[in-house]
Amino acid sequence: MAEPEFTATGVRIGKRLRSLTRAGQVRISDGRLALLTSYGTEIDSAPVQAVRASKPWFAAEDRALADLNGKRYLLTLGEHDPAPGEPGPPAARRFIEAVRKAAGRGG
């Protein structure tokens, strides 16, 4: 199995007004984006070419939207990338760039 192209831990994943996990994982590996619970159970996954990642205009800087399989997930990542060696999720902007790059849409 190849190294993941993007991994974020400690991510709050929600759908509409419901929180699915407060410390989940987002992983891009082998051309797929996977949303996982803190225990590693898959919430949803899809090929990156079929995923739409964007920044909601109405939300804080640490939020990103991911549309997978016709479902919209609100991801709360970090406002800024953590310092080297420090724990914490990467910036939402970095997640959006990683999805676009993995899908071959530039970034």
Side-chain angles (χ1 to χ4, degrees):
M1 188 165 156
E3 277 293 306
E5 297 154 36
F6 178 86
T7 302
T9 56
V11 178
R12 173 178 244 137
I13 301 172
K15 195 164 118 182
R16 298 195 185 242
L17 297 174
R18 191 172 129 223
S19 177
L20 301 174
T21 182
R22 293 186 300 163
Q25 298 176 34
V26 176
R27 184 176 300 151
I28 299 175
S29 182
D30 298 327
R32 288 188 72 79
L33 173 86
L35 303 178
L36 310 167
T37 66
S38 55
Y39 299 109
T41 305
E42 186 175 291
I43 295 169
D44 204 348
S45 71
V48 251
Q49 288 84 4
V51 173
R52 199 173 116 237
S54 59
K55 178 88 186 79
W57 61 271
F58 57 86
E61 282 296 309
D62 62 348
R63 306 273 169 93
L65 291 173
D67 292 326
L68 285 82
N69 302 320
K71 299 177 198 123
R72 178 168 287 173
Y73 296 93
L74 179 63
L75 311 176
T76 304
L77 294 112
E79 278 191 49
H80 309 286
D81 288 326
E86 293 293 313
R93 168 189 43 77
R94 208 168 111 220
F95 163 72
I96 295 167
E97 289 168 4
V99 169
R100 290 180 180 155
K101 182 179 174 192
R105 294 189 289 251

